[in-house]
PDB file of all heavy atoms in Angstrom:
ATOM      1  N   ARG I   1      -6.265 -32.590  -1.000  1.00 97.00           N
ATOM      2  CA  ARG I   1      -7.166 -33.741  -0.979  1.00 97.00           C
ATOM      3  C   ARG I   1      -8.414 -33.492  -0.133  1.00 97.00           C
ATOM      4  O   ARG I   1      -9.284 -34.357  -0.026  1.00 97.00           O
ATOM      5  CB  ARG I   1      -6.426 -34.966  -0.430  1.00 97.00           C
ATOM      6  CG  ARG I   1      -5.364 -35.537  -1.356  1.00 97.00           C
ATOM      7  CD  ARG I   1      -4.550 -36.591  -0.628  1.00 97.00           C
ATOM      8  NE  ARG I   1      -3.651 -37.329  -1.521  1.00 97.00           N
ATOM      9  CZ  ARG I   1      -2.727 -38.182  -1.095  1.00 97.00           C
ATOM     10  NH1 ARG I   1      -2.561 -38.384   0.224  1.00 97.00           N
ATOM     11  NH2 ARG I   1      -1.956 -38.816  -1.967  1.00 97.00           N
ATOM     12  N   GLY I   2      -8.475 -32.330   0.503  1.00 96.00           N
ATOM     13  CA  GLY I   2      -9.626 -32.016   1.335  1.00 96.00           C
ATOM     14  C   GLY I   2      -9.478 -32.435   2.779  1.00 96.00           C
ATOM     15  O   GLY I   2     -10.453 -32.415   3.532  1.00 96.00           O
ATOM     16  N   VAL I   3      -8.255 -32.800   3.181  1.00 96.00           N
ATOM     17  CA  VAL I   3      -7.992 -33.223   4.565  1.00 96.00           C
ATOM     18  C   VAL I   3      -7.507 -32.016   5.359  1.00 96.00           C
ATOM     19  O   VAL I   3      -6.583 -31.326   4.934  1.00 96.00           O
ATOM     20  CB  VAL I   3      -6.939 -34.350   4.613  1.00 96.00           C
ATOM     21  CG1 VAL I   3      -6.668 -34.759   6.059  1.00 96.00           C
ATOM     22  CG2 VAL I   3      -7.404 -35.542   3.782  1.00 96.00           C
ATOM     23  N   ALA I   4      -8.129 -31.752   6.499  1.00 94.00           N
ATOM     24  CA  ALA I   4      -7.778 -30.614   7.341  1.00 94.00           C
ATOM     25  C   ALA I   4      -7.105 -31.099   8.619  1.00 94.00           C
ATOM     26  O   ALA I   4      -7.229 -32.271   8.993  1.00 94.00           O
ATOM     27  CB  ALA I   4      -9.026 -29.800   7.678  1.00 94.00           C
ATOM     28  N   PRO I   5      -6.386 -30.206   9.308  1.00 93.00           N
ATOM     29  CA  PRO I   5      -5.774 -30.594  10.579  1.00 93.00           C
ATOM     30  C   PRO I   5      -6.821 -31.179  11.534  1.00 93.00           C
ATOM     31  O   PRO I   5      -7.903 -30.625  11.691  1.00 93.00           O
ATOM     32  CB  PRO I   5      -5.205 -29.269  11.109  1.00 93.00           C
ATOM     33  CG  PRO I   5      -4.940 -28.461   9.887  1.00 93.00           C
ATOM     34  CD  PRO I   5      -6.031 -28.811   8.941  1.00 93.00           C
ATOM     35  N   GLY I   6      -6.471 -32.297  12.143  1.00 91.00           N
ATOM     36  CA  GLY I   6      -7.408 -32.972  13.042  1.00 91.00           C
ATOM     37  C   GLY I   6      -8.185 -34.083  12.375  1.00 91.00           C
ATOM     38  O   GLY I   6      -8.712 -34.971  13.055  1.00 91.00           O
ATOM     39  N   ASP I   7      -8.271 -34.061  11.017  1.00 95.00           N
ATOM     40  CA  ASP I   7      -8.964 -35.122  10.300  1.00 95.00           C
ATOM     41  C   ASP I   7      -8.099 -36.373  10.233  1.00 95.00           C
ATOM     42  O   ASP I   7      -6.878 -36.320  10.346  1.00 95.00           O
ATOM     43  CB  ASP I   7      -9.293 -34.684   8.859  1.00 95.00           C
ATOM     44  CG  ASP I   7     -10.319 -33.577   8.808  1.00 95.00           C
ATOM     45  OD1 ASP I   7     -10.934 -33.290   9.863  1.00 95.00           O
ATOM     46  OD2 ASP I   7     -10.488 -32.985   7.722  1.00 95.00           O
ATOM     47  N   THR I   8      -8.735 -37.495  10.022  1.00 94.00           N
ATOM     48  CA  THR I   8      -8.007 -38.733   9.775  1.00 94.00           C
ATOM     49  C   THR I   8      -7.209 -38.584   8.480  1.00 94.00           C
ATOM     50  O   THR I   8      -7.728 -38.111   7.466  1.00 94.00           O
ATOM     51  CB  THR I   8      -8.979 -39.916   9.635  1.00 94.00           C
ATOM     52  OG1 THR I   8      -9.734 -40.030  10.838  1.00 94.00           O
ATOM     53  CG2 THR I   8      -8.230 -41.213   9.382  1.00 94.00           C
ATOM     54  N   GLY I   9      -5.952 -38.966   8.542  1.00 93.00           N
ATOM     55  CA  GLY I   9      -5.100 -38.838   7.360  1.00 93.00           C
ATOM     56  C   GLY I   9      -4.247 -37.591   7.347  1.00 93.00           C
ATOM     57  O   GLY I   9      -3.417 -37.423   6.441  1.00 93.00           O
ATOM     58  N   TRP I  10      -4.442 -36.705   8.359  1.00 95.00           N
ATOM     59  CA  TRP I  10      -3.575 -35.523   8.410  1.00 95.00           C
ATOM     60  C   TRP I  10      -2.167 -35.938   8.825  1.00 95.00           C
ATOM     61  O   TRP I  10      -2.005 -36.710   9.771  1.00 95.00           O
ATOM     62  CB  TRP I  10      -4.130 -34.497   9.397  1.00 95.00           C
ATOM     63  CG  TRP I  10      -3.287 -33.253   9.460  1.00 95.00           C
ATOM     64  CD1 TRP I  10      -2.405 -32.913  10.420  1.00 95.00           C
ATOM     65  CD2 TRP I  10      -3.221 -32.209   8.482  1.00 95.00           C
ATOM     66  NE1 TRP I  10      -1.783 -31.724  10.116  1.00 95.00           N
ATOM     67  CE2 TRP I  10      -2.263 -31.264   8.924  1.00 95.00           C
ATOM     68  CE3 TRP I  10      -3.868 -31.991   7.262  1.00 95.00           C
ATOM     69  CZ2 TRP I  10      -1.950 -30.122   8.210  1.00 95.00           C
ATOM     70  CZ3 TRP I  10      -3.542 -30.840   6.544  1.00 95.00           C
ATOM     71  CH2 TRP I  10      -2.607 -29.929   7.006  1.00 95.00           C
ATOM     72  N   PRO I  11      -1.123 -35.444   8.116  1.00 94.00           N
ATOM     73  CA  PRO I  11       0.255 -35.853   8.431  1.00 94.00           C
ATOM     74  C   PRO I  11       0.616 -35.538   9.891  1.00 94.00           C
ATOM     75  O   PRO I  11       0.236 -34.490  10.423  1.00 94.00           O
ATOM     76  CB  PRO I  11       1.102 -35.024   7.469  1.00 94.00           C
ATOM     77  CG  PRO I  11       0.176 -34.622   6.373  1.00 94.00           C
ATOM     78  CD  PRO I  11      -1.175 -34.503   6.978  1.00 94.00           C
ATOM     79  N   GLU I  12       1.361 -36.449  10.498  1.00 91.00           N
ATOM     80  CA  GLU I  12       1.709 -36.310  11.909  1.00 91.00           C
ATOM     81  C   GLU I  12       2.459 -35.014  12.191  1.00 91.00           C
ATOM     82  O   GLU I  12       2.215 -34.353  13.203  1.00 91.00           O
ATOM     83  CB  GLU I  12       2.574 -37.503  12.346  1.00 91.00           C
ATOM     84  CG  GLU I  12       2.978 -37.444  13.806  1.00 91.00           C
ATOM     85  CD  GLU I  12       3.830 -38.640  14.213  1.00 91.00           C
ATOM     86  OE1 GLU I  12       4.041 -39.536  13.371  1.00 91.00           O
ATOM     87  OE2 GLU I  12       4.277 -38.679  15.378  1.00 91.00           O
ATOM     88  N   ASN I  13       3.377 -34.634  11.303  1.00 89.00           N
ATOM     89  CA  ASN I  13       4.162 -33.416  11.491  1.00 89.00           C
ATOM     90  C   ASN I  13       3.772 -32.324  10.501  1.00 89.00           C
ATOM     91  O   ASN I  13       4.572 -31.470  10.138  1.00 89.00           O
ATOM     92  CB  ASN I  13       5.656 -33.728  11.341  1.00 89.00           C
ATOM     93  CG  ASN I  13       6.150 -34.675  12.416  1.00 89.00           C
ATOM     94  OD1 ASN I  13       5.862 -34.489  13.598  1.00 89.00           O
ATOM     95  ND2 ASN I  13       6.886 -35.712  12.009  1.00 89.00           N
ATOM     96  N   GLY I  14       2.518 -32.343  10.076  1.00 91.00           N
ATOM     97  CA  GLY I  14       2.056 -31.384   9.080  1.00 91.00           C
ATOM     98  C   GLY I  14       1.951 -29.969   9.622  1.00 91.00           C
ATOM     99  O   GLY I  14       1.774 -29.756  10.823  1.00 91.00           O
ATOM    100  N   TYR I  15       2.090 -28.988   8.718  1.00 92.00           N
ATOM    101  CA  TYR I  15       1.941 -27.579   9.080  1.00 92.00           C
ATOM    102  C   TYR I  15       0.452 -27.239   9.123  1.00 92.00           C
ATOM    103  O   TYR I  15      -0.268 -27.462   8.150  1.00 92.00           O
ATOM    104  CB  TYR I  15       2.682 -26.689   8.081  1.00 92.00           C
ATOM    105  CG  TYR I  15       4.180 -26.874   8.110  1.00 92.00           C
ATOM    106  CD1 TYR I  15       4.845 -27.595   7.115  1.00 92.00           C
ATOM    107  CD2 TYR I  15       4.939 -26.343   9.143  1.00 92.00           C
ATOM    108  CE1 TYR I  15       6.228 -27.772   7.152  1.00 92.00           C
ATOM    109  CE2 TYR I  15       6.326 -26.516   9.193  1.00 92.00           C
ATOM    110  CZ  TYR I  15       6.946 -27.232   8.196  1.00 92.00           C
ATOM    111  OH  TYR I  15       8.305 -27.413   8.241  1.00 92.00           O
ATOM    112  N   ARG I  16       0.001 -26.665  10.239  1.00 89.00           N
ATOM    113  CA  ARG I  16      -1.433 -26.539  10.489  1.00 89.00           C
ATOM    114  C   ARG I  16      -2.004 -25.160  10.179  1.00 89.00           C
ATOM    115  O   ARG I  16      -3.215 -24.949  10.273  1.00 89.00           O
ATOM    116  CB  ARG I  16      -1.703 -26.877  11.959  1.00 89.00           C
ATOM    117  CG  ARG I  16      -1.130 -28.226  12.381  1.00 89.00           C
ATOM    118  CD  ARG I  16      -1.271 -28.459  13.872  1.00 89.00           C
ATOM    119  NE  ARG I  16      -2.649 -28.721  14.249  1.00 89.00           N
ATOM    120  CZ  ARG I  16      -3.219 -29.925  14.243  1.00 89.00           C
ATOM    121  NH1 ARG I  16      -2.527 -30.988  13.836  1.00 89.00           N
ATOM    122  NH2 ARG I  16      -4.474 -30.081  14.596  1.00 89.00           N
ATOM    123  N   GLY I  17      -1.172 -24.201   9.829  1.00 89.00           N
ATOM    124  CA  GLY I  17      -1.660 -22.848   9.582  1.00 89.00           C
ATOM    125  C   GLY I  17      -2.603 -22.762   8.389  1.00 89.00           C
ATOM    126  O   GLY I  17      -2.549 -23.577   7.452  1.00 89.00           O
ATOM    127  N   ASP I  18      -3.471 -21.752   8.407  1.00 91.00           N
ATOM    128  CA  ASP I  18      -4.420 -21.559   7.310  1.00 91.00           C
ATOM    129  C   ASP I  18      -3.722 -21.268   5.986  1.00 91.00           C
ATOM    130  O   ASP I  18      -4.300 -21.474   4.905  1.00 91.00           O
ATOM    131  CB  ASP I  18      -5.367 -20.399   7.634  1.00 91.00           C
ATOM    132  CG  ASP I  18      -6.359 -20.744   8.741  1.00 91.00           C
ATOM    133  OD1 ASP I  18      -6.505 -21.948   9.048  1.00 91.00           O
ATOM    134  OD2 ASP I  18      -6.979 -19.815   9.297  1.00 91.00           O
ATOM    135  N   TYR I  19      -2.471 -20.786   6.062  1.00 94.00           N
ATOM    136  CA  TYR I  19      -1.762 -20.462   4.824  1.00 94.00           C
ATOM    137  C   TYR I  19      -1.550 -21.693   3.949  1.00 94.00           C
ATOM    138  O   TYR I  19      -1.442 -21.583   2.723  1.00 94.00           O
ATOM    139  CB  TYR I  19      -0.416 -19.787   5.130  1.00 94.00           C
ATOM    140  CG  TYR I  19       0.596 -20.671   5.809  1.00 94.00           C
ATOM    141  CD1 TYR I  19       1.505 -21.419   5.069  1.00 94.00           C
ATOM    142  CD2 TYR I  19       0.662 -20.769   7.197  1.00 94.00           C
ATOM    143  CE1 TYR I  19       2.441 -22.238   5.682  1.00 94.00           C
ATOM    144  CE2 TYR I  19       1.594 -21.579   7.825  1.00 94.00           C
ATOM    145  CZ  TYR I  19       2.478 -22.318   7.062  1.00 94.00           C
ATOM    146  OH  TYR I  19       3.403 -23.132   7.676  1.00 94.00           O
ATOM    147  N   ILE I  20      -1.491 -22.883   4.564  1.00 95.00           N
ATOM    148  CA  ILE I  20      -1.340 -24.120   3.780  1.00 95.00           C
ATOM    149  C   ILE I  20      -2.560 -24.326   2.885  1.00 95.00           C
ATOM    150  O   ILE I  20      -2.451 -24.759   1.731  1.00 95.00           O
ATOM    151  CB  ILE I  20      -1.123 -25.334   4.700  1.00 95.00           C
ATOM    152  CG1 ILE I  20       0.211 -25.203   5.455  1.00 95.00           C
ATOM    153  CG2 ILE I  20      -1.140 -26.635   3.900  1.00 95.00           C
ATOM    154  CD1 ILE I  20       1.440 -25.257   4.572  1.00 95.00           C
ATOM    155  N   ALA I  21      -3.744 -24.004   3.415  1.00 95.00           N
ATOM    156  CA  ALA I  21      -4.959 -24.102   2.607  1.00 95.00           C
ATOM    157  C   ALA I  21      -4.894 -23.137   1.429  1.00 95.00           C
ATOM    158  O   ALA I  21      -5.358 -23.465   0.317  1.00 95.00           O
ATOM    159  CB  ALA I  21      -6.187 -23.817   3.465  1.00 95.00           C
ATOM    160  N   ASP I  22      -4.311 -21.952   1.638  1.00 96.00           N
ATOM    161  CA  ASP I  22      -4.168 -20.986   0.549  1.00 96.00           C
ATOM    162  C   ASP I  22      -3.242 -21.527  -0.540  1.00 96.00           C
ATOM    163  O   ASP I  22      -3.510 -21.353  -1.739  1.00 96.00           O
ATOM    164  CB  ASP I  22      -3.608 -19.668   1.083  1.00 96.00           C
ATOM    165  CG  ASP I  22      -4.544 -18.983   2.068  1.00 96.00           C
ATOM    166  OD1 ASP I  22      -5.759 -19.250   1.999  1.00 96.00           O
ATOM    167  OD2 ASP I  22      -4.050 -18.184   2.887  1.00 96.00           O
ATOM    168  N   VAL I  23      -2.148 -22.182  -0.130  1.00 97.00           N
ATOM    169  CA  VAL I  23      -1.213 -22.759  -1.103  1.00 97.00           C
ATOM    170  C   VAL I  23      -1.915 -23.840  -1.915  1.00 97.00           C
ATOM    171  O   VAL I  23      -1.804 -23.886  -3.152  1.00 97.00           O
ATOM    172  CB  VAL I  23       0.030 -23.335  -0.393  1.00 97.00           C
ATOM    173  CG1 VAL I  23       0.968 -23.993  -1.421  1.00 97.00           C
ATOM    174  CG2 VAL I  23       0.773 -22.265   0.378  1.00 97.00           C
ATOM    175  N   ALA I  24      -2.639 -24.721  -1.224  1.00 97.00           N
ATOM    176  CA  ALA I  24      -3.324 -25.826  -1.907  1.00 97.00           C
ATOM    177  C   ALA I  24      -4.378 -25.302  -2.890  1.00 97.00           C
ATOM    178  O   ALA I  24      -4.514 -25.818  -4.014  1.00 97.00           O
ATOM    179  CB  ALA I  24      -3.966 -26.746  -0.878  1.00 97.00           C
ATOM    180  N   LYS I  25      -5.105 -24.285  -2.463  1.00 97.00           N
ATOM    181  CA  LYS I  25      -6.136 -23.709  -3.330  1.00 97.00           C
ATOM    182  C   LYS I  25      -5.514 -23.130  -4.600  1.00 97.00           C
ATOM    183  O   LYS I  25      -6.041 -23.334  -5.717  1.00 97.00           O
ATOM    184  CB  LYS I  25      -6.887 -22.614  -2.565  1.00 97.00           C
ATOM    185  CG  LYS I  25      -8.017 -21.959  -3.356  1.00 97.00           C
ATOM    186  CD  LYS I  25      -8.732 -20.918  -2.504  1.00 97.00           C
ATOM    187  CE  LYS I  25      -9.844 -20.232  -3.307  1.00 97.00           C
ATOM    188  NZ  LYS I  25     -10.540 -19.185  -2.495  1.00 97.00           N
ATOM    189  N   ALA I  26      -4.398 -22.413  -4.463  1.00 97.00           N
ATOM    190  CA  ALA I  26      -3.723 -21.830  -5.622  1.00 97.00           C
ATOM    191  C   ALA I  26      -3.176 -22.923  -6.541  1.00 97.00           C
ATOM    192  O   ALA I  26      -3.224 -22.799  -7.773  1.00 97.00           O
ATOM    193  CB  ALA I  26      -2.592 -20.907  -5.159  1.00 97.00           C
ATOM    194  N   TYR I  27      -2.659 -24.005  -5.938  1.00 97.00           N
ATOM    195  CA  TYR I  27      -2.127 -25.126  -6.723  1.00 97.00           C
ATOM    196  C   TYR I  27      -3.225 -25.777  -7.547  1.00 97.00           C
ATOM    197  O   TYR I  27      -3.059 -26.047  -8.757  1.00 97.00           O
ATOM    198  CB  TYR I  27      -1.482 -26.154  -5.792  1.00 97.00           C
ATOM    199  CG  TYR I  27      -1.064 -27.432  -6.469  1.00 97.00           C
ATOM    200  CD1 TYR I  27       0.117 -27.502  -7.201  1.00 97.00           C
ATOM    201  CD2 TYR I  27      -1.862 -28.579  -6.383  1.00 97.00           C
ATOM    202  CE1 TYR I  27       0.499 -28.684  -7.833  1.00 97.00           C
ATOM    203  CE2 TYR I  27      -1.490 -29.759  -7.007  1.00 97.00           C
ATOM    204  CZ  TYR I  27      -0.312 -29.807  -7.735  1.00 97.00           C
ATOM    205  OH  TYR I  27       0.059 -30.984  -8.361  1.00 97.00           O
ATOM    206  N   LEU I  28      -4.355 -26.035  -6.917  1.00 97.00           N
ATOM    207  CA  LEU I  28      -5.473 -26.690  -7.617  1.00 97.00           C
ATOM    208  C   LEU I  28      -6.078 -25.785  -8.693  1.00 97.00           C
ATOM    209  O   LEU I  28      -6.658 -26.276  -9.672  1.00 97.00           O
ATOM    210  CB  LEU I  28      -6.545 -27.089  -6.614  1.00 97.00           C
ATOM    211  CG  LEU I  28      -6.166 -28.216  -5.641  1.00 97.00           C
ATOM    212  CD1 LEU I  28      -7.254 -28.404  -4.593  1.00 97.00           C
ATOM    213  CD2 LEU I  28      -5.902 -29.521  -6.391  1.00 97.00           C
ATOM    214  N   ALA I  29      -5.938 -24.461  -8.509  1.00 97.00           N
ATOM    215  CA  ALA I  29      -6.473 -23.519  -9.492  1.00 97.00           C
ATOM    216  C   ALA I  29      -5.534 -23.337 -10.675  1.00 97.00           C
ATOM    217  O   ALA I  29      -5.882 -22.672 -11.654  1.00 97.00           O
ATOM    218  CB  ALA I  29      -6.736 -22.173  -8.832  1.00 97.00           C
ATOM    219  N   GLY I  30      -4.331 -23.931 -10.588  1.00 97.00           N
ATOM    220  CA  GLY I  30      -3.367 -23.791 -11.677  1.00 97.00           C
ATOM    221  C   GLY I  30      -2.716 -22.434 -11.734  1.00 97.00           C
ATOM    222  O   GLY I  30      -2.270 -21.992 -12.810  1.00 97.00           O
ATOM    223  N   ASP I  31      -2.642 -21.760 -10.587  1.00 97.00           N
ATOM    224  CA  ASP I  31      -2.012 -20.439 -10.553  1.00 97.00           C
ATOM    225  C   ASP I  31      -0.528 -20.553 -10.908  1.00 97.00           C
ATOM    226  O   ASP I  31       0.094 -21.611 -10.738  1.00 97.00           O
ATOM    227  CB  ASP I  31      -2.140 -19.826  -9.155  1.00 97.00           C
ATOM    228  CG  ASP I  31      -3.572 -19.390  -8.850  1.00 97.00           C
ATOM    229  OD1 ASP I  31      -4.419 -19.492  -9.755  1.00 97.00           O
ATOM    230  OD2 ASP I  31      -3.829 -18.973  -7.697  1.00 97.00           O
ATOM    231  N   SER I  32       0.032 -19.436 -11.378  1.00 96.00           N
ATOM    232  CA  SER I  32       1.469 -19.393 -11.667  1.00 96.00           C
ATOM    233  C   SER I  32       2.156 -18.517 -10.620  1.00 96.00           C
ATOM    234  O   SER I  32       1.612 -17.495 -10.193  1.00 96.00           O
ATOM    235  CB  SER I  32       1.729 -18.853 -13.076  1.00 96.00           C
ATOM    236  OG  SER I  32       1.275 -17.520 -13.193  1.00 96.00           O
ATOM    237  N   VAL I  33       3.339 -18.946 -10.226  1.00 96.00           N
ATOM    238  CA  VAL I  33       4.112 -18.219  -9.223  1.00 96.00           C
ATOM    239  C   VAL I  33       5.504 -17.973  -9.802  1.00 96.00           C
ATOM    240  O   VAL I  33       6.175 -18.918 -10.228  1.00 96.00           O
ATOM    241  CB  VAL I  33       4.226 -19.017  -7.911  1.00 96.00           C
ATOM    242  CG1 VAL I  33       5.113 -18.270  -6.924  1.00 96.00           C
ATOM    243  CG2 VAL I  33       2.853 -19.275  -7.313  1.00 96.00           C
ATOM    244  N   THR I  34       5.933 -16.724  -9.786  1.00 94.00           N
ATOM    245  CA  THR I  34       7.266 -16.386 -10.298  1.00 94.00           C
ATOM    246  C   THR I  34       8.151 -15.937  -9.142  1.00 94.00           C
ATOM    247  O   THR I  34       7.795 -15.032  -8.381  1.00 94.00           O
ATOM    248  CB  THR I  34       7.189 -15.275 -11.350  1.00 94.00           C
ATOM    249  OG1 THR I  34       6.376 -15.719 -12.445  1.00 94.00           O
ATOM    250  CG2 THR I  34       8.577 -14.920 -11.864  1.00 94.00           C
ATOM    251  N   VAL I  35       9.297 -16.589  -9.012  1.00 89.00           N
ATOM    252  CA  VAL I  35      10.292 -16.231  -8.018  1.00 89.00           C
ATOM    253  C   VAL I  35      11.608 -16.040  -8.750  1.00 89.00           C
ATOM    254  O   VAL I  35      12.075 -16.957  -9.437  1.00 89.00           O
ATOM    255  CB  VAL I  35      10.433 -17.317  -6.939  1.00 89.00           C
ATOM    256  CG1 VAL I  35      11.467 -16.902  -5.903  1.00 89.00           C
ATOM    257  CG2 VAL I  35       9.098 -17.582  -6.259  1.00 89.00           C
ATOM    258  N   GLU I  36      12.199 -14.848  -8.595  1.00 83.00           N
ATOM    259  CA  GLU I  36      13.359 -14.467  -9.397  1.00 83.00           C
ATOM    260  C   GLU I  36      12.979 -14.638 -10.874  1.00 83.00           C
ATOM    261  O   GLU I  36      12.001 -14.072 -11.332  1.00 83.00           O
ATOM    262  CB  GLU I  36      14.583 -15.287  -8.993  1.00 83.00           C
ATOM    263  CG  GLU I  36      15.051 -15.011  -7.551  1.00 83.00           C
ATOM    264  CD  GLU I  36      16.281 -15.798  -7.172  1.00 83.00           C
ATOM    265  OE1 GLU I  36      17.382 -15.357  -7.528  1.00 83.00           O
ATOM    266  OE2 GLU I  36      16.144 -16.837  -6.519  1.00 83.00           O
ATOM    267  N   ASP I  37      13.694 -15.466 -11.627  1.00 83.00           N
ATOM    268  CA  ASP I  37      13.373 -15.633 -13.053  1.00 83.00           C
ATOM    269  C   ASP I  37      12.719 -16.984 -13.331  1.00 83.00           C
ATOM    270  O   ASP I  37      12.682 -17.437 -14.483  1.00 83.00           O
ATOM    271  CB  ASP I  37      14.660 -15.504 -13.893  1.00 83.00           C
ATOM    272  CG  ASP I  37      15.279 -14.135 -13.779  1.00 83.00           C
ATOM    273  OD1 ASP I  37      14.520 -13.161 -13.662  1.00 83.00           O
ATOM    274  OD2 ASP I  37      16.521 -14.037 -13.785  1.00 83.00           O
ATOM    275  N   HIS I  38      12.198 -17.609 -12.285  1.00 89.00           N
ATOM    276  CA  HIS I  38      11.667 -18.960 -12.416  1.00 89.00           C
ATOM    277  C   HIS I  38      10.168 -18.953 -12.140  1.00 89.00           C
ATOM    278  O   HIS I  38       9.721 -18.424 -11.123  1.00 89.00           O
ATOM    279  CB  HIS I  38      12.381 -19.891 -11.437  1.00 89.00           C
ATOM    280  CG  HIS I  38      11.940 -21.314 -11.512  1.00 89.00           C
ATOM    281  ND1 HIS I  38      12.042 -22.072 -12.652  1.00 89.00           N
ATOM    282  CD2 HIS I  38      11.373 -22.131 -10.568  1.00 89.00           C
ATOM    283  CE1 HIS I  38      11.581 -23.283 -12.421  1.00 89.00           C
ATOM    284  NE2 HIS I  38      11.162 -23.341 -11.163  1.00 89.00           N
ATOM    285  N   THR I  39       9.386 -19.522 -13.024  1.00 95.00           N
ATOM    286  CA  THR I  39       7.928 -19.576 -12.867  1.00 95.00           C
ATOM    287  C   THR I  39       7.480 -21.023 -12.672  1.00 95.00           C
ATOM    288  O   THR I  39       7.906 -21.914 -13.403  1.00 95.00           O
ATOM    289  CB  THR I  39       7.209 -18.984 -14.092  1.00 95.00           C
ATOM    290  OG1 THR I  39       7.580 -17.607 -14.239  1.00 95.00           O
ATOM    291  CG2 THR I  39       5.695 -19.072 -13.922  1.00 95.00           C
ATOM    292  N   VAL I  40       6.630 -21.222 -11.671  1.00 96.00           N
ATOM    293  CA  VAL I  40       6.068 -22.538 -11.388  1.00 96.00           C
ATOM    294  C   VAL I  40       4.549 -22.435 -11.512  1.00 96.00           C
ATOM    295  O   VAL I  40       3.939 -21.516 -10.956  1.00 96.00           O
ATOM    296  CB  VAL I  40       6.443 -23.021  -9.969  1.00 96.00           C
ATOM    297  CG1 VAL I  40       5.808 -24.380  -9.684  1.00 96.00           C
ATOM    298  CG2 VAL I  40       7.953 -23.095  -9.809  1.00 96.00           C
ATOM    299  N   ILE I  41       3.948 -23.371 -12.220  1.00 97.00           N
ATOM    300  CA  ILE I  41       2.503 -23.380 -12.438  1.00 97.00           C
ATOM    301  C   ILE I  41       1.902 -24.568 -11.711  1.00 97.00           C
ATOM    302  O   ILE I  41       2.422 -25.689 -11.783  1.00 97.00           O
ATOM    303  CB  ILE I  41       2.167 -23.453 -13.940  1.00 97.00           C
ATOM    304  CG1 ILE I  41       2.761 -22.243 -14.671  1.00 97.00           C
ATOM    305  CG2 ILE I  41       0.653 -23.523 -14.154  1.00 97.00           C
ATOM    306  CD1 ILE I  41       2.600 -22.302 -16.190  1.00 97.00           C
ATOM    307  N   GLY I  42       0.819 -24.329 -10.982  1.00 96.00           N
ATOM    308  CA  GLY I  42       0.138 -25.399 -10.269  1.00 96.00           C
ATOM    309  C   GLY I  42      -0.356 -26.480 -11.219  1.00 96.00           C
ATOM    310  O   GLY I  42      -1.043 -26.170 -12.197  1.00 96.00           O
TER     311      GLY I  42
END
């Protein structure tokens, strides 16, 4: 949603690492992720 750590609306117990931004970016781009034999598409 464009909310970063420290912004209003950031979850109280949210994970603050930059890797979360990478996950969100891949999700919004519709990337596909395969783990074992299971594929999930953003």
Side-chain angles (χ1 to χ4, degrees):
R1 289 171 171 171
V3 179
D7 293 349
T8 301
W10 181 257
E12 180 180 356
N13 296 313
Y15 294 104
R16 307 173 72 87
D18 289 345
Y19 67 91
I20 295 294
D22 296 336
V23 177
K25 181 178 179 181
Y27 172 80
L28 291 173
D31 288 356
S32 63
V33 176
T34 300
V35 181
E36 295 181 82
D37 297 326
H38 182 60
T39 299
V40 178
I41 300 174

